[in-house]
Amino acid sequence: MSHLTRVPAPDGVAPAAQYTHVVAGTGRFVAVSGQLALDEKGDIVGEGDAGAQARQVFDNLRRCLAAAGATFDDVVKLTFFVTDMAHLPAIRAARAEHIPDDRLPAASAVQVSGLVRPEFLMEIEALAVTAV
């Protein structure tokens, strides 16, 4: 039995194809700061390439979650900060490599005018709840 409950579409709320409306759980809370497309040396990965940046960001998220004893199965919320909404398909593809469609977390996507450096196309943060 999972420590998380997912409600894809509560009564009176339109269903969502790319996220789950409500995810609740009991356990230990884990917050992962927004991750950028940086490798372990701090060098940018995939400058100008949304797909490469999204894959690196999700790899970084996986590593951060693991450091807290969590996995993508424990993620209850992702927030995507993008410089262009056109990057969302690349983010969804990278997410699909780590999170199956039947376990999608709650999610928000926000278009921003810029990130900490102009070469970054996205920043993604995660909230997770691990089993007690």
Side-chain angles (χ1 to χ4, degrees):
M1 178 138 199
S2 174
H3 64 285
L4 298 178
T5 301
R6 289 177 170 79
V7 183
D11 290 343
V13 177
Q18 300 298 329
Y19 59 92
T20 298
H21 279 290
V22 179
V23 182
T26 57
R28 187 172 51 88
F29 178 75
V30 177
V32 179
S33 291
Q35 295 297 299
L36 298 163
L38 294 172
D39 66 15
E40 65 277 358
K41 295 177 278 178
D43 296 327
I44 189 166
V45 173
E47 188 167 347
D49 181 341
Q53 286 199 19
R55 286 187 299 276
Q56 182 65 44
V57 167
F58 272 90
D59 283 344
N60 291 346
L61 287 168
R62 179 184 50 77
R63 290 180 182 103
C64 290
L65 289 165
T71 71
F72 279 107
D73 286 343
D74 301 310
V75 171
V76 296
K77 174 90 183 336
L78 292 171
T79 304
F80 311 131
F81 300 95
V82 295
T83 57
D84 188 328
M85 287 295 179
H87 303 319
L88 286 178
I91 291 171
R92 290 180 184 132
R95 181 188 64 191
E97 294 175 17
H98 299 278
I99 304 172
D101 285 346
D102 65 340
R103 289 198 309 262
L104 291 176
S108 296
V110 181
Q111 184 168 329
V112 296
S113 61
L115 295 164
V116 67
R117 292 186 355 216
E119 58 267 32
F120 293 119
L121 304 176
M122 66 197 63
E123 180 174 330
I124 302 173
E125 65 183 20
L127 301 177
V129 176
T130 63
V132 183

